[in-house]
Amino acid sequence: MDDTEVLDGESSIQQWSDAVAAASATPAGGAVAALASALAASLVAMVAGLTTRREKYAAVHQYAQEILERADQVRGELLDLARQDAIVVAEYMDALTLPQETEFERTARDAARRAALLEAARVQLELLDLASEVAALAEAMVGSGVATAIGDAATASFIAASASRSAYWSIRSNVRLVGRPDETRPLVESAVVTLDRVEAAEIRVRQVLDDRVG
């Protein structure tokens, strides 16, 4: 049984770390970006939870509770994406080992390779969308969460932004290998729009830190 069959949201950080560190193609960068985003969502949940417990922030308790609940949901989805990414990378590596002695075999191999690349791009686009949501939730907590945890909310923002950039470039790399620009252009265009939104949020968070931290 390989790592992609046993690693999931119930696996420990140590297990994921050991699997990533192993000299094998998967799990790799996409899975790590998803895991990092899940931890960023955990930070958002922490800050939101602290905010709901402080009477000083009673005016935003309901807002913080809604953010907490969504952050908990998103981090579960991100952990699942880490597993999905590891699986699809394994499928791509399997496609590369298919025989290519005959024209039929080469056609079948190329179809399997393209399918795996497109699925990998789809998984990374989903990661980008979720990381974008984490970035938005983190920005909300930077602005309205408990002041003593502003650094934690900002950390979540920065991690989500980094994971978003990772997902964006993974998408670009995968669709280039697919080699069908007309077919994949909408996917890339969607990724560009989402990444722009994330990086704009990151800039706003940095501005808040500049104002508050100096």
Side-chain angles (χ1 to χ4, degrees), residues 1-8 15 18-20 22 24 26-27 83:
M1 181 176 293
D2 63 30
D3 290 330
T4 61
E5 293 180 291
V6 298
L7 293 176
D8 56 26
Q15 288 173 308
D18 289 345
V20 171
S24 61
T26 185
R83 172 179 168 80

Side-chain angles (χ1 to χ4, degrees), residues 77-159:
E77 294 173 7
L78 285 162
L79 289 173
D80 184 57
L81 271 184
R83 172 179 168 80
Q84 289 182 46
D85 184 81
I87 291 172
V88 75
V89 171
E91 290 173 348
Y92 173 72
M93 299 306 296
D94 287 344
L96 295 183
T97 67
L98 293 174
Q100 45 184 334
E101 296 299 320
T102 68
E103 184 64 29
F104 176 80
E105 289 176 342
R106 286 191 291 272
T107 299
R109 176 184 181 275
D110 189 55
R113 184 183 69 87
R114 288 176 186 271
L117 286 168
L118 284 172
E119 179 62 12
R122 185 200 65 77
V123 169
Q124 288 298 301
L125 183 61
E126 187 174 354
L127 168 57
L128 178 53
D129 288 340
L130 288 175
S132 171
E133 187 168 2
V134 173
L137 296 173
E139 182 185 6
M141 284 294 91
V142 166
S144 60
V146 59
T148 54
I150 187 175
D152 299 296
T155 296
S157 171
F158 300 149
I159 292 172

